[in-house]
Amino acid sequence: MSPDVSPLERRYRRLLRLLPATHRTARGEELLGLLLDLDHGRRHPSRHETLNIVALAIRLRLTTPVTTTALTTGLSALLVAAGTQPAGHTLDLFTGAVLTTDMPALIASWPQLVVLGLLPLAPLIAWLCGATRTALTLQAIFLTVTVGWFVIDVLSGAGMGINPGQQLFAYAPPVLILGLLAIAARERWTAPRPRLFWWALVPLGILAWKGTGEWGRHGVYVSDAVPTVIGIHAAATAAVAAAFAVRRHRPAVIVGVGLTGFLAGWLIPDRLLVNTAMQHFDGQPLPLAILIAVAAATMTGIGHLARRPMAS
């Protein structure tokens, strides 16, 4: 950079690096000149213009194809994991979670239980059908009702002894889903393809929650297998990312980085893995959402690699 560059210009150039490279190439110098004119005589960018640049960078990066794909995949994974949880637990109630002596009372109220178990699937189904605003409205209603019940319990004294940290962690997925749906509605995002993959995950997610209910009841925590599972996921993610980053020698990159990721996953301490990955057995949808997102990203990456010709 030229020594004649003023401190203001140098700092604005650093800020403009937040913008996507394509936008900087097309409009960077023009935008820089405008900012220097607006803040002429200053040594530091004004707070107003700094916030404008940050907001512009966020908006532009949210509209890039890679970011859009990543966020819609994450949103879909969260919706599947959180939406299928009540249905899975309802299925578990009627297939082993309740003692035989208590089944008559459960059977007597089965319509209400089934409805309550299936209702949380509504935002997911609306999202997969392309009705993003409907999904947003339904998610907002469900979150409001859930938080309202919690507040009523606290005010009535029924919520004594609740761990605030655990409660905040429990509300994190639905709040994150609501935020992503709001962005999706604004940017007119749609569910990622192939849609059949995501529709198939609905019954699979219900069965997964049923299975974790069984495992949790009988204390089956297969901690020895966790490093292998995490290693495989780390290998697949790292290999696909590296294959996109490196144009040449893709097969070698996939194998090499994949083995490295597998070893890295294997060497992570068991205690750390049990305390993170196995949280799914405690009824938290986030680990299942991560698993679904990794599977979807891996499938998308492999599909892109299969369609692209190999570089010479």
Side-chain angles (χ1 to χ4, degrees):
M1 187 176 293
S2 172
D4 297 332
V5 173
S6 66
L8 179 64
E9 181 177 349
R10 186 166 56 252
R11 292 184 174 101
Y12 262 130
R13 286 189 181 277
R14 290 199 195 109
L15 271 176
L16 290 175
R17 290 175 189 169
L18 296 173
L19 303 176
T22 53
H23 190 83
R24 289 201 309 271
T25 302
R27 303 287 302 278
E29 293 301 322
E30 177 186 349
L31 184 57
L32 177 63
L34 176 62
L35 292 169
L36 292 176
D37 288 340
L38 290 173
D39 281 350
H40 180 69
R42 300 175 61 99
R43 290 184 57 84
H44 296 272
S46 63
R47 182 179 302 177
H48 180 264
E49 300 306 332
T50 300
L51 292 176
N52 283 340
I53 293 174
V54 172
L56 177 63
I58 293 173
R59 184 170 61 84
L60 290 174
R61 291 191 179 276
L62 283 176
T63 57
T64 61
V66 173
T67 306
T68 300
T69 301
L71 290 178
T72 53
T73 299
L75 171 58
S76 301
L78 280 168
L79 280 168
V80 170
T84 58
Q85 183 179 14
H89 286 174
T90 302
L91 176 63
D92 195 33
L93 281 176
F94 291 94
T95 56
V98 177
L99 296 174
T100 306
T101 53
D102 298 328
M103 280 301 292
L106 193 69
I107 293 174
S109 59
W110 74 265
Q112 298 94 314
L113 292 175
V114 171
V115 169
L116 290 175
L118 294 179
L119 272 178
L121 288 170
L124 168 61
I125 293 173
W127 166 250
L128 293 179
C129 290
T132 305
R133 294 187 181 278
T134 302
L136 174 62
T137 303
L138 291 171
Q139 183 67 21
I141 292 172
F142 290 153
L143 184 59
T144 302
V145 170
T146 304
V147 173
W149 278 342
F150 173 69
V151 171
I152 291 172
D153 286 343
V154 171
L155 294 177
S156 64
M160 296 297 294
I162 293 177
N163 187 320
Q166 290 182 348
Q167 200 64 34
L168 287 174
F169 186 71
Y171 284 133
V175 170
L176 183 57
I177 289 171
L178 183 67
L180 288 174
L181 280 174
I183 298 173
R186 177 181 177 83
E187 300 296 334
R188 298 184 180 181
W189 290 345
T190 57
R193 298 183 181 276
R195 298 287 176 84
L196 182 61
F197 169 79
W198 294 101
W199 281 111
L201 284 175
V202 176
L204 290 177
I206 294 173
L207 292 176
W209 283 112
K210 158 61 185 171
T212 55
E214 288 282 354
W215 290 351
R217 249 194 326 279
H218 301 293
V220 182
Y221 288 80
V222 195
S223 58
D224 292 340
V226 176
T228 305
V229 174
I230 298 298
I232 292 171
H233 291 158
T237 306
V240 171
F244 275 110
V246 180
R247 298 287 179 173
R248 292 186 175 184
H249 311 297
R250 276 183 175 163
V253 170
I254 291 174
V255 174
V257 178
L259 288 175
T260 303
F262 178 80
L263 291 174
W266 183 269
L267 294 174
I268 294 175
D270 289 353
R271 185 181 298 276
L272 175 63
L273 290 171
V274 171
N275 290 335
T276 54
M278 301 305 283
Q279 285 294 318
H280 178 45
F281 293 93
D282 294 333
Q284 299 296 339
L286 190 57
L288 179 59
I290 293 173
L291 174 64
I292 294 171
V294 169
T298 304
M299 183 189 68
T300 303
I302 292 173
H304 279 295
L305 290 176
R307 289 193 295 269
R308 289 186 177 184
M310 292 290 295
S312 57

